[in-house]
Amino acid sequence: MDIQLRQRGRALLDFEVAIRQATGRLGRTIEADLAARGITAATLPEPMDERHAVIDEALAGSKPFRLRALMSDWCGRNHGLAALEAFEEIAASVAGAIDALDQGPTTIADKAGFEAPAYWSRTWFHRTHNGWDDHPHQGFIHGELVHKQYVAKVFPGDIYGARRTVARLAPKRDYARILEIGTSSGHYTQALAEVFPDAVIVGIDPSLRMLEQARRVGNAAGKAWDLRVGIGEKTDFDDASFDLVTAYAVHHELPPRAIDDMFKEALRLLKPGGDLVIADVPRYAALDRLAAWRFDWQAKYGGEPFWRASASLDFAEAARARGFVDVTSGALPPYGNPYYMVGSKPV
Amino acid sequence: MNSVRLSEPAPRPTLGVDQIDDLGAGLIALTRELWVVVDRMTMLEALLAKHGIPVADLDDLQPDPATAALLHSRRERLLSTVLGALQADAV
């Protein structure tokens, strides 16, 4: 949708972007300070908690370090609230467009009696106040405002464009049925639809609010996506009912047991010879110790309770352990983000 | 003669050390609100300069590239002033 914010909402979000970018600049100051103290990737200990302890102790008197924590906490708590306020200003003017996009070929099947797992329902991911389903238009607020007006401006590169690159990593181009796990507001679904225009796309996500926004995205593009409320590690689909199972930036929101269950479920859902493509945050093992600490510090205080456990896993090994073959993995240039893994179900 | 009024209580600390984060958050909140005003003023000036259109139209005015650049520079200046006061000179 072409959204025109009103003055206050636009200024609020511009400010949130500015202060988030300032935390990034402070990060470089802090790391220069660490280097001046002789603390580098090569000197940091391997255990992540010890890494934090070494840096916390070294920078205990650093005002930039303290200030960055303050600013980072501010961003975590307030970016969603600023987006909510910006939305409330335009709610009446976009209501008609929202209603119109709720109708169309893309459908949502709500799951009667669905109870989201505790790791999801009890977590305010990204410190989003009251979680993903709090506001009746939380999907719109995140998809159109948080993602496009904030996230896209504070992370380097084209993080939504990277979804198309990941979709193209799939080994084939003629998939008949694709399952996307963790559809959210439909950014990756859109990429899949562009790369595989003839495929039937089924999307699953525990958040009805986010699926509602994905439905708008699908309808705006004239697509007939089949969206379902649910979780990827335990679905109702038949055995061997998909040619490609894929997920983008989902696994770091899951505890390790759910990740393993998801590999198991993906293997069940794929037809023999079907493919699995996963993209997620960088693996810590592929980063130097300072870079991994940088991610971990943001995750630790940014509403990402499962990030470290997920980023510490070797998805390629986990997929092989569950029976996938021809497994490859790597980091997408130029930023090494996301990490990707591609594998296949044996024929 | 001592100018201190006897009715004036002795100075005492009010905010505690454990409120320092709240103070910081309050300062950022103040900065944000001030930024909203600066933003609005800038847009108002732009609007008046161009057309003399009623101020009520301001909410829907979208910044052109030159105004957006001006907003950006003023926003960064305000932010760095406050953060600088908090000793984050490198910001």
Side-chain angles (χ1 to χ4, degrees):
Chain A
M1 287 179 69
D2 185 21
I3 302 299
Q4 282 211 336
L5 297 176
R6 305 197 81 194
Q7 186 270 330
R8 179 175 171 82
R10 178 180 53 75
L12 287 176
L13 283 168
D14 283 349
F15 182 86
E16 294 299 327
V17 170
I19 194 167
R20 181 63 178 75
Q21 290 174 333
T23 65
R25 294 195 292 273
L26 264 183
R28 290 191 283 277
T29 302
I30 287 162
E31 290 184 24
D33 189 356
L34 284 173
R37 296 166 191 263
I39 297 173
T40 66
T43 68
L44 284 168
E46 168 58 25
M48 186 59 81
D49 283 337
E50 288 182 30
R51 230 177 288 179
H52 280 281
V54 166
I55 293 173
D56 287 349
E57 183 179 350
L59 298 180
S62 162
K63 289 178 178 174
F65 188 54
R66 292 178 188 165
L67 184 59
R68 188 175 69 142
L70 171 72
M71 292 157 63
S72 183
D73 282 354
W74 171 273
C75 294
R77 283 194 300 262
N78 288 284
H79 73 278
L81 295 173
L84 172 60
E85 206 173 327
F87 170 76
E88 298 291 4
E89 255 191 331
I90 61 170
S93 63
V94 298
I98 287 176
D99 289 346
L101 288 174
D102 285 343
Q103 313 301 320
T106 291
T107 59
I108 299 175
D110 203 351
K111 190 174 180 179
F114 170 71
E115 279 194 35
Y119 70 77
W120 185 84
S121 59
R122 295 182 185 172
T123 303
W124 290 5
F125 288 106
H126 310 166
R127 300 180 76 168
T128 295
H129 187 74
N130 269 345
W132 290 117
D133 280 357
D134 177 51
H135 190 279
H137 285 102
Q138 190 76 296
F140 182 90
I141 292 166
H142 270 77
E144 292 293 341
L145 304 183
V146 172
H147 295 161
K148 293 182 181 175
Q149 306 280 347
Y150 177 75
V151 175
K153 295 178 180 175
V154 300
F155 288 99
D158 181 1
I159 65 168
Y160 296 114
R163 283 158 168 77
R164 284 150 188 80
T165 307
V166 166
R168 292 188 194 100
L169 293 174
K172 308 179 190 82
R173 289 291 175 275
D174 59 349
Y175 300 112
R177 284 177 54 79
I178 296 173
L179 173 64
E180 182 198 7
I181 296 170
T183 293
S184 186
S185 56
H187 292 298
Y188 185 46
T189 329
Q190 202 166 15
L192 291 168
E194 289 176 19
V195 177
F196 310 105
D198 298 325
V200 171
I201 296 180
V202 180
I204 190 167
D205 197 286
S207 170
L208 176 60
R209 297 281 90 88
M210 300 309 287
L211 287 179
E212 288 170 346
Q213 180 61 15
R215 179 171 60 187
R216 294 177 197 116
V217 172
N219 285 335
K223 303 294 183 183
W225 299 336
D226 176 359
L227 306 177
R228 315 277 184 99
V229 174
I231 53 174
E233 61 266 40
K234 187 179 180 184
T235 74
D236 298 331
F237 303 115
D238 293 336
D239 292 358
S241 52
F242 291 96
D243 303 281
L244 172 68
V245 173
T246 187
Y248 193 106
V250 172
H251 287 67
H252 69 279
E253 314 288 25
L254 306 173
R257 190 168 64 182
I259 292 174
D260 187 50
D261 288 345
M262 197 175 285
F263 280 118
K264 184 180 174 185
E265 180 72 350
L267 195 70
R268 182 183 76 78
L269 295 174
L270 282 169
K271 297 172 185 172
D275 300 314
L276 174 68
V277 175
I278 290 172
D280 204 70
V281 299
R283 303 297 86 190
Y284 282 180
L287 303 171
D288 69 45
R289 291 179 181 177
L290 185 63
W293 166 83
R294 195 182 300 139
F295 279 105
D296 202 74
W297 188 90
Q298 291 287 356
K300 185 176 178 180
Y301 301 106
E304 299 282 12
F306 308 116
W307 182 299
R308 185 191 298 185
S310 169
S312 301
L313 292 175
D314 182 339
F315 284 0
E317 276 307 308
R320 290 188 191 101
R322 277 294 173 192
F324 285 92
V325 296
D326 299 328
V327 177
T328 58
S329 63
L332 205 69
Y335 299 102
N337 192 1
Y339 158 92
Y340 64 85
M341 191 231 78
V342 180
S344 301
K345 181 174 180 174
V347 176
Chain B
M1 183 177 173
N2 192 335
S3 62
V4 176
R5 292 163 57 185
L6 295 177
S7 60
E8 192 70 28
R12 61 176 182 179
T14 53
L15 295 179
V17 172
D18 61 345
Q19 292 174 283
I20 191 72
D21 287 348
D22 295 336
L23 178 64
L27 186 56
I28 295 177
L30 175 65
T31 306
R32 190 178 78 167
E33 293 308 305
L34 180 57
W35 161 246
V36 173
V37 175
V38 170
D39 182 293
R40 193 173 183 86
M41 286 293 293
T42 305
M43 294 304 294
L44 180 61
E45 291 164 2
L47 182 67
L48 294 176
K50 284 169 71 175
H51 302 295
I53 295 172
V55 175
D57 287 1
L58 185 63
D59 281 329
D60 293 320
L61 181 68
Q62 302 300 315
D64 59 25
T67 310
L70 183 60
L71 286 169
H72 180 267
S73 67
R74 290 183 177 182
R75 184 168 61 245
E76 291 296 318
R77 187 172 63 195
L78 173 63
L79 189 56
S80 61
T81 297
V82 175
L83 296 179
L86 290 168
Q87 304 296 308
D89 295 334
V91 172

